[in-house]
Amino acid sequence: MDRIVDLPAPRLQVRRLIGGFSLLFALAALVTLGALFNIAATLDRQERQRSTFHATQALEQRLLASRQFLSSYAVWDAAYQHLANEVDWHWAYDEKNVGESLYSASGFEGVFVVDDRHTRYALLRGEPTDLPAETFIDAPLAPIIAQARQVAVDREQVTHFVLFDGWPAVLSAAAVRPDMEVLKIDVGKAPVMLFVDQLTEAKLAHLGEGAGLADMRLEKNTTTHRATPRIVLGDTGYHLTWTTPLPGRQLLWAVLPPLLGALLVLGLVMLYLFRHALRSSRAIDQSLQRLRHSNQALEASEQRFRAVAEATSDWIWETDRHQRLTYLSQRFASVTGYRLEDWLGQPLNQLLACDTTPLASWLDAQAEADPQQMANLRCAYHDPNGQHRYCRMSARPILVDGKLAGFRGTASDITHEVAAHAHIQHLSLHDALTGLANRNKLTRHLEQALQRGSDAPPLTLLLLDLDNFKPINDALGHAIGDAVLQEVASRLREATREDDLVARLGGDEFALVVEAMDDRNEIDRLCTHLIALLRQPIVVNGQRLHVGASLGIAQTGPQVCDAGELVRCADIALYQAKADGKNTWRYFCAQMNQQIQYRRQLENDLRQALEQEAFVLHYQPRYRLQDLRIVSVEALLRWQHPQQGLLGPDTFIPLAEQSDLIVALGRWVLRQACRTARHWQAELLVSVNLSPAQCSRSDVVAEVREILLETDFPAQRLELEITENVMLADIEGALGTLLALKELGVHLNMDDFGTGYSSLGCLRSYPFDSIKIDKRFIAGLTNPNSNDQAVVQAIIDLGKAMGLTVTAEGVETEQQLRMLADKGCHEVQGYYLSRPLDQASFEALLREGDAGRLRSRP
């Protein structure tokens, strides 16, 4: 906004005076002209009212005369005698009792005697005619006859405006009766005499002359202007009008020209005087102090406007240079619960505090920053109820003459956002079922411990796998299995030290990280204690359940100094322990490298399988929860091993990721999925998983573009499922890759949402279209002792708030399906609806359509 400089005071006063005089002059001129026009309009209106009154009176007099004249003929014994029954033409016409004189002397163009069925007697312009009255009168006669008979007892007549030969006329009607008292029954069938007085130009001229009106005429209703006086002639479509004198207009033409001339002269004189006054006022020295204060006030108002316009926070604050609050917006009271007057004049750092940066120091640092840039800081405060709340505060300095005068900013309440982020952060590092650390936290813990170097205490990793757990879970259900896992987690926590880490890696696999325990005897005692502890019965719903445990142990040393290698070695040792009879433990040793040899053999087989294309794709449909329609299908890789049979991806994908085979394997999966799905229904989305290793070792964007062009598959039908691990290695590079993929037109889906420690940040920063809730949360939905329901609801609400489609995977029961529907989830996928199918079975499912699906599912 441009700075506005106030005019000096004397000049401003002169301009105000000039403006006042100009306004008064304009008002006086407007009032004078308004009064003149009002007088003219009043005179014209009064003249129109007067002429209308006289015209109405004249027309009423003519109607009255017509009725009275008709009465002298209709209420007549002789007329009743000769016309009531059989019409006596000789008496009526030849003897001129009701004859030609009615037209030549009285001006009635039509004379008729009618009854209910026909016209008995008819004269048209004084001449007899055999044509009925309806031929000339354009109006229904039945109601007119009825009205005439109705008023005949009282010797009355009726009058109507009708069209006679297409021209307006006055129709007078009276029942033919004797000149004596009669009853209504006597005239109930009496004939009716009609006199038609056509409103010709001569009659209208005579009528207007009698009323003192000029140019009286008839016009059709559509031709008259609204301001013209008129009298509507019934339903004839015509009205009576005349020319009205306009004395007001004559007055305007007489008075307006000299009045306008006088006002113009007076205005020119005032203009000369005003210019002279302004020229004199420019010579007056203006007050610099007043100008400075005006500019300061304007600048403060301008800065406040910018702060309000640019900030997206809830309440606005200002302080003086000592950081004491001088202004709080009304929103402050409704957000924080405090009253404004409780904090005005108080230091800002008594209200807000920051854990990482002292608020006063941070504000002082803003004084040296660019005043056009708004800085932000997350702060905390306690509301009047003592509840801990968070806000995002923005600040900028207030400068007056280049000196710091205070600070101004906004604050947005982000308590719910912080709580949600903390909850998701916790979920990303902890197992939702047991509350133990998850695989992510275990990896981070090992990496941080190994980074301490050789001086750090030795590290021992124990991988623990439950024995006999799968039969319990399969026979008694997931709810009992979850209760067993929770009890195992509790016993493991009780059996370890406070500094030791206990983690659940998934399923029935746990891990323990023990520091400063390099004596094998001490480790053996710990393993013995753990096995004995876990072999004790677990009581769930009155049932005594028994499980055991096998442990694999790996320790850091010269040959094992990497977190991944440490886990791999412990896994090999665990495999050996289970092979040696379970309920025991084994240390990793070099002899166990046979497992490594097996992995190498498997890698060689994998290379040959890739060359021979010994892979197949299975397809698992994804259903829209609203109507259980298939809206997408996930392509899942299977390896047809010559000795081991059909292998799932968990067997060989980790091995492919450790080698360079993942790039070629991923390219094959994408090409095969696009080539196959090209012939399916146009609205079906095809989902393909992208491995983090594949993204980091190849140009994924170029490969996707090339395959889309090669297979002629529409980009908008392709969805790429990506875990957050893709973003962790190279944040900037991953963002560029995802944006480039979006430019191709493909959909992006964050897979296994909620299991990583940066999922929320990824959603905010990366262009995802949808998220997929990890199946571990879905598995715990039906467990009343689990917080998975709250987690799933939070993820669904978060996805909706960010405009993302939310998919739940791993739906295995009808109860899970119904709970997801109640929570507003968009799409579902799992064994309850359909297992992964080969191409032929899936295409058969598509052909079967909704009918078969609805028959097989409640």
Side-chain angles (χ1 to χ4, degrees), residues 722 727 748-753 759 762 768 770-772:
I722 303 170
M727 281 75 76
L748 298 180
N749 183 309
M750 177 180 278
D751 196 11
D752 297 336
F753 181 80
S759 297
C762 292
F768 286 102
S770 55
I771 56 178
K772 184 179 282 189

Side-chain angles (χ1 to χ4, degrees), residues 130-336:
D130 295 331
L131 297 176
E134 291 87 345
T135 306
F136 312 102
I137 300 173
D138 187 11
L141 295 182
I144 297 176
I145 293 172
Q147 292 176 10
R149 290 170 177 170
Q150 188 71 23
V151 300
V153 176
D154 299 326
R155 300 173 181 265
E156 295 293 334
Q157 311 83 34
V158 295
T159 306
H160 290 274
F161 291 107
V162 298
L163 288 178
F164 186 77
D165 271 355
W167 190 255
V170 177
L171 172 65
S172 301
V176 179
R177 50 158 288 181
D179 189 9
M180 61 178 183
E181 294 299 326
V182 296
L183 299 177
K184 185 174 291 187
I185 192 171
D186 297 331
V187 293
K189 299 295 183 178
V192 176
M193 183 175 292
L194 307 177
F195 283 5
V196 181
D197 182 13
Q198 200 167 29
L199 298 178
T200 61
E201 292 182 2
K203 293 178 182 179
L204 291 178
H206 179 73
L207 184 64
E209 183 179 354
L213 303 175
D215 192 23
M216 185 170 284
R217 60 195 179 278
L218 292 177
E219 292 182 352
K220 288 189 175 181
N221 290 340
T222 57
T223 60
T224 303
H225 297 290
R226 184 175 298 177
T228 305
R230 62 179 181 174
I231 299 174
V232 178
L233 302 180
D235 298 330
T236 62
Y238 286 82
H239 59 265
L240 182 65
T241 186
W242 56 91
T243 301
T244 304
L246 299 175
R249 188 170 298 178
Q250 296 174 0
L251 175 64
L252 285 178
W253 282 110
V255 176
L256 192 58
L259 178 60
L260 291 177
L263 291 176
L264 178 62
V265 172
L266 183 58
L268 292 174
V269 173
M270 291 181 65
L271 179 61
Y272 172 77
L273 294 176
F274 291 162
R275 291 188 61 188
H276 180 72
L278 283 175
R279 194 179 299 114
S280 300
S281 66
R282 292 193 187 98
I284 300 174
D285 189 18
Q286 298 153 7
S287 172
L288 296 178
Q289 188 64 27
R290 184 174 299 174
L291 176 62
R292 185 177 299 112
H293 289 330
S294 299
N295 288 336
Q296 290 174 356
L298 178 61
E299 185 174 354
S301 177
E302 185 176 351
Q303 290 180 359
R304 184 175 302 166
F305 172 80
R306 286 179 179 170
V308 173
E310 294 171 5
T312 58
S313 306
D314 288 335
W315 47 277
I316 305 170
W317 56 269
E318 286 185 7
T319 69
D320 57 15
R321 59 189 301 270
H322 301 294
Q323 300 183 12
R324 292 189 294 263
L325 288 166
T326 58
Y327 171 79
L328 289 168
S329 65
Q330 290 295 328
R331 184 67 175 160
F332 169 81
S334 59
V335 173
T336 65

Side-chain angles (χ1 to χ4, degrees), residues 322-369:
H322 301 294
Q323 300 183 12
R324 292 189 294 263
L325 288 166
T326 58
Y327 171 79
L328 289 168
S329 65
Q330 290 295 328
R331 184 67 175 160
F332 169 81
S334 59
V335 173
T336 65
Y338 288 110
R339 298 187 306 167
L340 272 65
E341 52 269 23
D342 292 342
W343 286 100
L344 290 177
Q346 300 296 324
L348 181 60
N349 58 9
Q350 288 188 9
L351 173 65
L352 304 176
C354 179
D355 297 334
T356 58
T357 303
L359 183 58
S361 302
W362 181 76
L363 286 175
D364 291 337
Q366 305 312 310
E368 306 297 330

